[in-house]
Amino acid sequence: MQLAAIIVSIAITVVAVALFGRATVQIYRFVRLGQPVPAGTRTGDPKQRTITLVKEFLGHTRMNRWGIVGFAHWFVAVGFFSLLLTIVNAFGQLFQADWLIPFIGDWLPYEVFTEFLGLMTVLGIVTLIVIRQLSKPTKAGRKSRFAGSKTGQAYFVEAVILIVGVCIMTLRALEGVQHHVTGWEPGFFASYPLIALLDGLDLSTIQHLTYFFAALKIVTSFTWMITVSLNTNMGVAWHRFLGFPNIWFKRNADGSTALGALQPMTTAGKEIDWEDPAEDAVFGVSQVEQFSWKGILDFSTCTECGRCQSQCPAWNTGKPLSPKLLIMSLRDHAHAKAPYLLAGGGKTMEGDEKATEEQLKDVPAAALAEAERPLIGTVEENGVIDPDVLWSCTTCGACVEQCPVDIEHIDHIVDMRRYQVMIESAFPSEAGTMLKNLEKKGNPWGLAKKQRVEWTKEVDFEVPIVGKDVEDLTEVDYLYWVGCAGALEDRAKKTTKAFAELLHIAGVKFAIMGGEEKCTGDSPRRLGNEPLFQQLGAENVAMLNMAFGEDDEDESTKKPKSAKKIVSTCPHCFNTIANEYPQLGGEYEVIHHTQLLQHLIDEGKLIPVTPVEGLITYHDPCYLGRHNKVYTPPREIMSAVPGLRQQEMHRHKERGFCCGAGGARMWMEERIGKRINNERVDEALSLNPDIVSTACPFCLVMLTDSVNGKKNEGKAKESVTVVDVAQLLLDSVKTPVEPEEEPAAEEPEPAV
């Protein structure tokens, strides 16, 4: 038996190592098929990137948000790398049953370490197996985060880990028996019960058991290695290797998620010059090889855990988009097409078609067929990604926020949208009206620019306009960027007027741009119309820079002496001006109105005194919360209002649920599944609130529409209202006017 165990173990090890080496080279070559990225964008600040990687892995910073799942996965992940010496030990035991690793084999700290991690790896994988079984797609359907994952591969990986873990603990017990452990010892604290069970067996049996379990551990481990080497798209296995570079090369070296700003469009690794784009510039992505190499690495790293899917508002309302399934589809397509691309397919060789045919003669037929598939196309067209999948995304960021290996889903979705809009002109027709209005009038409704200031006539104080009432913005504390919705949409105008009045009460000097404002370009950019964003953004930046005026620099910091302060009531405007206008040469200090209002309350310039009675629940706008991490100010404002009782919805803050308006979905019809705003409002109404609050004009419109619909259906009480937190604060800050008492009537004098 010993000889057979040695021969089988060595043979499978040699084959596995050779295949794994080949697979590693294949994946490296495969990732390099992607396009280059601008210099430094993925490698800048290597020290901080390394710190971020260590923090994310050892701290399991994303996984640990999921409670017991993160705890169990930590031991499985750390055990995989920390227990590698047990393989060495197993090889030694094949030749000598009582063999120990020299120097440390019987060192107590090493023994305790191995016992503890071996035990916790077994308990960890058993926990994960149970969790997977409790939420199987066959039981939970679409609600299961594993729906669509390659279940067979997952079961294989889980079985391998469990078998290896059991082998480690069994070999520890057999080692204890052979080294005469007769009572409980710290070095065998976990395996001692098994030692006691085996202690009565004769030495020959113990040795043969050692050979068997050592061989079983080796064969299982290297069978796994052979399997993953032959399946380079097996994300559930390869993520344990590819996760490290994927995290290290993430967009932000400091570890923050790839949210907020969209990346500038690039071609051949350079940003596109929109004033004079290169003749061979590639706009967006129409072939999988047109993604950047980081995109290809993203696809290969997906572990199919489904956390993105479980949080996606589109998937949760019956739409075809699952961020997980989208990434899996791109990965499988890219791997299937790789032989064609690696052979030179998709490239011309100086116009010599015969040379290309010669190159492709050995490419498998399956790869040639895969190369013919359109990246975006319906089932009938054999497309990789269905158009309904592409256009269901609200860019809420839930997928990016939750992904434990830092896949940048939104960037990839928008890249595909860019090609569809700019080259194919293929996008939902109703969005075309919005684009035309933006091109002609600078706002989505196509209204005249003079209407942007109509709301100022509805307040009883003067609202200064730059260029009319103030020469430039050096005369005020803040520029109030009203935004299209805030100036033109009736419900959002209530927020605008309330915020302006609060600034007036607090004595904050502010001004607006009035009719000179144009849409910031958030919606067209996320729809995929990058040129329109560039146009609107450039015009706004030029206007803002002129309005702020020339400013002397501080010699010590080389920055303007006075900050260019902008406050916005719209998170989409806030995000665009703060995070994307720097790409266009616009550097400003931008805050959201809830941040400024909280500051004014803290300073005592706004004092909520009048109670606003009722139960209130707050909806986190995606572009304020997840994209910009502003969670506390709105809640603190509500806490400052006397009379309010706050209660959080089940999905809030980092796991907040979208209203359905982001990603230009505000301007598109929702024809598939349940409306996202209805799903969110159902969650809010389950608390039986008196007030649903938010801090975004898009959210305000979406939630109000749904609440009104629920009232008409008799599913919501008539008294429930949807308001911005600024309106709540104004109601509390303003002291109600006491009605004047009428003078008491004089009593007539008694008659004499």
Side-chain angles (χ1 to χ4, degrees), residues 3 19 32 93 217 248 252 301 376 399 502 506 666 677:
L3 181 60
L19 289 176
R32 284 178 60 86
Q93 289 168 323
K217 179 181 182 342
W248 199 89
N252 301 315
T301 306
I376 307 298
C399 49
L502 286 166
M666 179 80 172
N677 59 337

Side-chain angles (χ1 to χ4, degrees), residues 68-89:
I68 188 65
V69 176
F71 183 75
H73 189 274
W74 189 90
F75 284 103
V76 172
V78 172
F80 175 81
F81 293 103
S82 301
L83 297 174
L84 288 177
L85 281 179
T86 62
I87 287 276
V88 177
N89 204 68

Side-chain angles (χ1 to χ4, degrees), residues 498-631:
F499 179 60
E501 188 166 351
L502 286 166
L503 293 181
H504 178 70
I505 292 170
V508 176
K509 293 182 179 179
F510 72 97
I512 65 172
M513 295 306 304
E516 298 306 308
E517 260 193 22
K518 288 188 176 181
C519 173
T520 57
D522 164 85
S523 288
R525 190 174 214 196
R526 278 149 187 81
L527 183 74
N529 194 328
E530 184 71 9
L532 184 53
F533 164 76
Q534 294 286 332
Q535 175 192 327
L536 292 167
E539 291 171 357
N540 281 331
V541 166
M543 174 193 65
L544 287 171
N545 288 344
M546 183 176 294
F548 277 110
E550 296 296 327
D551 202 4
D552 295 334
E553 285 187 345
D554 186 315
E555 292 184 3
S556 61
T557 63
K558 299 300 180 182
K559 292 183 178 180
K561 289 181 179 178
S562 62
K564 298 177 178 180
K565 295 182 179 180
I566 299 175
V567 60
S568 173
T569 44
C570 176
H572 296 266
C573 297
F574 164 57
N575 178 70
T576 303
I577 299 173
N579 299 324
E580 297 184 338
Y581 277 10
Q583 299 171 7
L584 307 177
E587 299 278 352
Y588 315 107
E589 181 182 321
V590 191
I591 60 172
H592 188 251
H593 75 291
T594 55
Q595 295 173 298
L596 180 54
L597 292 177
Q598 180 203 350
H599 178 66
L600 294 174
I601 291 172
D602 293 343
E603 285 190 332
K605 293 181 178 179
L606 291 175
I607 304 174
V609 290
T610 304
V612 178
E613 301 292 343
L615 177 67
I616 188 169
T617 189
Y618 175 72
H619 163 79
D620 285 286
C622 300
Y623 273 80
L624 183 63
R626 269 190 297 269
H627 281 273
N628 287 284
K629 305 296 180 279
V630 179
Y631 297 111

Side-chain angles (χ1 to χ4, degrees), residues 345-375:
K347 303 174 184 177
T348 58
M349 296 186 60
E350 299 177 357
D352 188 350
E353 294 182 8
K354 290 184 179 180
T356 303
E357 289 176 6
E358 177 66 21
Q359 279 188 307
L360 299 179
K361 66 181 175 63
D362 295 325
V363 174
L368 293 172
E370 194 70 27
E372 295 297 317
R373 297 181 66 191
L375 187 66

Side-chain angles (χ1 to χ4, degrees), residues 392-440:
S392 292
C393 180
T394 67
T395 67
C396 70
C399 49
V400 179
E401 179 71 35
Q402 295 299 330
C403 182
V405 290
D406 287 297
I407 293 171
E408 299 166 5
H409 312 71
I410 292 178
D411 289 350
H412 307 320
I413 289 172
V414 171
D415 273 341
M416 289 186 283
R417 284 183 170 187
R418 284 166 167 167
Y419 179 84
Q420 292 299 301
V421 172
M422 296 169 59
I423 306 301
E424 298 290 336
S425 295
F427 53 90
S429 57
E430 57 270 18
T433 302
M434 176 266 293
L435 295 177
K436 289 176 183 176
N437 288 335
L438 288 176
E439 291 169 357
K440 294 178 180 178

Side-chain angles (χ1 to χ4, degrees), residues 201-217:
L201 299 177
D202 61 79
L203 180 61
S204 176
T205 302
I206 292 296
Q207 289 175 335
H208 279 87
L209 284 172
T210 302
Y211 303 146
F212 172 78
F213 280 102
L216 179 60
K217 179 181 182 342

